[in-house]
Amino acid sequence: MGSIDYLERIPNNVDLAGNRRLQRALEEWQPRFLEWWRDMGPEGYQARDVYLRTAISVDAQGWAQFGYLKMPDYRWGIFLAEPEPNRAIAFGDHKGEPAWQEVPGEYRGTLRRLIVTQGDTEPASVEQQRHLGRTCPSLYDLRNLFQVNVEEGRHLWAMVYLLQAYFGRDGREEAEALLQRRSGDTDKPRILGAFNEKTPDWLSFFMFSFFTDRDGKYQLASLAESGFDPLSRTCRFMLTEEAHHMFVGESGVGRIVQRTCEIMKQHPNDDPRTHGVIDLPAIQRYLNFHFSVSLDLFGSEISTNAANFYTLGLKGRFEETKKTDDHLLKNATYRIITLDKDRLLETEQPALPTLNERLRDDYVADCQRGVDRWNRIIREHGIDVHLRLPHRGFHRAIGACAEVRVSPDGRLLSQADWDAHKHEWLPTEADKTYVQNLMKGVTEPGKFASWIAAPARGVNGQPVDFEYVRLA
């Protein structure tokens, strides 16, 4: 079950050859996907050989091989994690029943919407990042960008497989629409707001990979608990690849912080910008922006949709099976921050409609661990600065704080106070211009842009100065 047949036109471990109707549908979709990839995928590098990781199995013993290939030749396919024998639904009204191998008819529309929303994020991030290759800080980083991109493309395949295999004509139409929407397009935007933002520079890319891909981790982990077993198995394998995306983000920001601290130690009385690095206050402002935008992806603090998804057995909590409560939550409560006139208060609320906030709490704690590691780099250089996650009400467009202004330390502000201080908290036009002016492509093996430190080690045991992308 774990191995993948690469002789197939569409590599898979779901016996696609045994379902001719589905195989034909996916083979018809495949050239349109490749057309989208060539039009909207990484610009300027489609014909280059890239040192990429490709899945060769889905078992715990190993699932990847490394080698050079051109991105349009990447073997995108359909890979589900190994089935769990006798798997039962772990939560909600169907708790204890056998996991569904087919879509329950009464939940068809709801389940399709969950899959489409997740699937829409995958091509969106590729579109957001398509121009970054021109300004790469090194071949090492360029290769990591492309690894993220091809895997997001495969995650799109994962969701399209579910739509085509289990949702008939509706699924086929949704699969087509996933290739027609465009990130930031005014007429056909992507579904979620964060995926219509621009990713104009590599600091933004690393922040996106750390914060927004981490949201992806928590959404996938919740869907991996689903009572619909094909969705669960699909998301479990996607999580394996998602870990690398978050590593790219965390290590990228960490290396920027490290390089800035090195310059600050060498030139303690100078503005770091005069030495071509990104100052820590600007890094904090980028952090504030990307964290707040990513928080919105979890939805409102109180959500009947979240309650319904859970009760119906479609979407669980993060690490649902490790929790020790009754997994029904009908009489349980959960403390969340709510807006009461001119105050933010912690109040006890019914647990089911607050599941978005519970997932957001898990996410925030995970983000904090990464920020703590960035702060350790600063501390090791003897610099008395701390990066901080802003208050969860800061700069929000969805939820209780969407209609108010909240400072990074959690104070409610008047619009005038917000306008007077927002340039201290969010990237300014001067920040964006400065960072953009630093973005000069560095493509000599082993060389790195002045604003980022080299990594501690290369990819897959290769040296840091390995030729990760062949440009000749």
Side-chain angles (χ1 to χ4, degrees):
M1 176 64 193
S3 63
I4 295 161
D5 186 356
Y6 272 89
L7 297 178
E8 292 277 0
R9 180 174 171 183
I10 301 172
N12 70 92
N13 65 348
V14 296
D15 188 27
L16 195 57
N19 186 336
R20 296 297 300 164
R21 181 199 60 79
L22 176 60
Q23 185 178 33
R24 284 194 300 272
L26 288 168
E27 286 177 349
E28 288 177 8
W29 187 83
Q30 185 179 46
R32 290 191 282 276
F33 166 82
L34 289 172
E35 180 181 4
W36 166 82
W37 177 267
R38 292 188 179 95
D39 289 345
M40 300 305 298
E43 185 181 65
Y45 289 90
Q46 299 281 357
R48 302 299 184 183
D49 289 325
V50 184
Y51 186 71
L52 292 173
R53 177 183 71 184
T54 304
I56 58 171
S57 70
V58 297
D59 55 32
Q61 283 66 46
W63 51 271
Q65 67 178 4
F66 287 81
Y68 285 105
L69 72 157
K70 294 173 176 59
M71 284 182 282
D73 298 332
Y74 188 82
R75 299 309 307 276
W76 287 287
I78 302 156
F79 315 138
L80 275 63
E82 298 283 4
E84 295 179 14
N86 304 314
R87 180 173 178 259
I89 300 170
F91 60 93
D93 287 351
H94 297 282
K95 177 186 171 186
E97 297 177 16
W100 304 306
Q101 302 306 317
E102 298 292 336
V103 177
E106 64 270 34
Y107 305 153
R108 186 181 185 84
T110 304
L111 194 53
R112 188 180 73 233
R113 187 167 83 251
L114 281 171
I115 292 170
V116 168
T117 302
Q118 179 62 44
D120 193 69
T121 68
E122 313 297 352
S125 60
V126 176
E127 293 166 355
Q128 288 172 297
Q129 298 156 15
R130 66 184 304 259
H131 300 298
L132 288 175
R134 296 180 297 187
T135 58
C136 64
S138 72
L139 289 185
Y140 166 87
D141 292 295
L142 186 63
R143 176 261 166 215
N144 281 345
L145 167 68
F146 294 158
Q147 184 71 57
V148 170
N149 291 161
V150 295
E151 288 177 353
E152 300 290 17
R154 204 206 64 73
H155 294 176
L156 172 60
W157 269 93
M159 295 295 110
V160 165
Y161 161 72
L162 294 174
L163 291 171
Q164 299 261 24
Y166 295 97
F167 293 90
R169 176 180 294 179
D170 290 344
R172 292 192 293 276
E173 291 175 353
E174 295 284 13
E176 292 299 322
L178 288 169
L179 297 178
Q180 293 167 2
R181 288 187 286 272
R182 294 288 183 270
S183 176
D185 189 291
T186 54
D187 295 322
K188 290 186 176 181
R190 291 297 175 179
I191 294 171
L192 299 177
F195 292 89
N196 289 300
E197 298 283 348
K198 292 182 179 179
T199 308
D201 57 70
W202 281 77
L203 175 58
S204 298
F205 167 65
F206 290 135
M207 289 288 183
F208 181 98
S209 299
F210 179 80
F211 287 114
T212 307
D213 280 330
R214 194 170 305 275
D215 161 77
K217 165 189 170 180
Y218 282 86
Q219 301 299 339
L220 289 173
S222 298
L223 293 172
E225 303 287 346
S226 178
F228 180 43
D229 202 45
L231 175 59
S232 170
R233 292 171 56 203
T234 296
C235 291
R236 278 190 279 135
F237 182 69
M238 289 170 69
L239 282 165
T240 307
E241 296 176 321
E242 201 72 31
H244 174 258
H245 306 182
M246 292 182 292
F247 163 79
V248 169
E250 181 178 330
S251 62
V253 174
R255 289 161 51 217
I256 295 172
V257 169
Q258 179 181 331
R259 182 61 182 146
T260 299
C261 290
E262 290 169 355
I263 291 297
M264 292 175 69
K265 287 284 287 184
Q266 294 170 21
H267 307 280
N269 299 317
D270 294 354
D271 180 349
R273 292 193 181 192
T274 63
H275 298 278
V277 296
I278 304 172
D279 52 292
L280 295 178
I283 293 173
Q284 177 69 65
R285 290 191 284 273
Y286 275 74
L287 182 161
N288 290 346
F289 174 79
H290 285 274
F291 177 67
S292 60
V293 168
S294 299
L295 286 180
D296 278 344
L297 294 171
F298 290 86
S300 297
E301 292 86 350
I302 297 177
S303 167
T304 54
N305 279 340
N308 290 336
F309 295 157
Y310 188 87
T311 300
L312 301 179
L314 303 180
K315 183 179 180 182
R317 292 171 291 177
F318 180 67
E319 296 185 334
E320 178 73 43
T321 55
K322 295 183 180 180
K323 300 189 185 304
T324 56
D325 53 31
D326 66 3
H327 301 278
L328 300 174
L329 306 183
K330 294 186 184 297
N331 300 311
T333 60
Y334 193 72
R335 291 186 70 80
I336 68 169
I337 293 174
T338 55
L339 181 65
D340 180 18
K341 297 179 181 177
D342 60 348
R343 295 184 300 167
L344 294 173
L345 300 174
E346 271 202 4
T347 61
E348 205 82 20
Q349 299 289 334
L352 280 171
T354 61
L355 284 169
N356 282 347
E357 194 66 4
R358 182 165 190 155
L359 190 61
R360 191 162 18 229
D361 284 345
D362 292 329
Y363 168 83
V364 170
D366 198 2
C367 288
Q368 185 61 58
R369 288 188 284 271
V371 174
D372 289 344
R373 288 188 283 270
W374 296 338
N375 282 327
R376 190 176 308 133
I377 296 170
I378 299 173
R379 190 167 60 248
E380 288 170 351
H381 284 82
I383 296 170
D384 187 21
V385 175
H386 289 85
L387 299 173
R388 291 180 171 85
L389 294 176
H391 188 274
R392 69 181 61 208
F394 172 78
H395 190 237
R396 292 290 300 282
I398 291 175
C401 293
E403 302 304 319
V404 295
R405 297 291 176 257
V406 181
S407 68
D409 60 2
R411 291 175 292 115
L412 282 178
L413 304 174
S414 68
Q415 186 65 48
D417 283 341
W418 170 265
D419 290 340
H421 294 283
K422 65 181 180 180
H423 67 280
E424 301 169 20
W425 303 326
L426 292 168
T428 64
E429 290 306 312
D431 290 335
K432 296 173 187 176
T433 299
Y434 174 73
V435 171
Q436 191 63 56
N437 287 338
L438 290 178
M439 299 294 115
K440 312 293 184 186
V442 176
T443 55
E444 183 180 343
K447 300 294 184 182
F448 291 82
S450 63
W451 50 268
I452 191 168
R457 61 189 64 85
V459 176
N460 190 40
Q462 300 293 349
V464 171
D465 62 357
F466 184 70
E467 191 178 16
Y468 289 104
V469 182
R470 290 174 173 164
L471 301 180

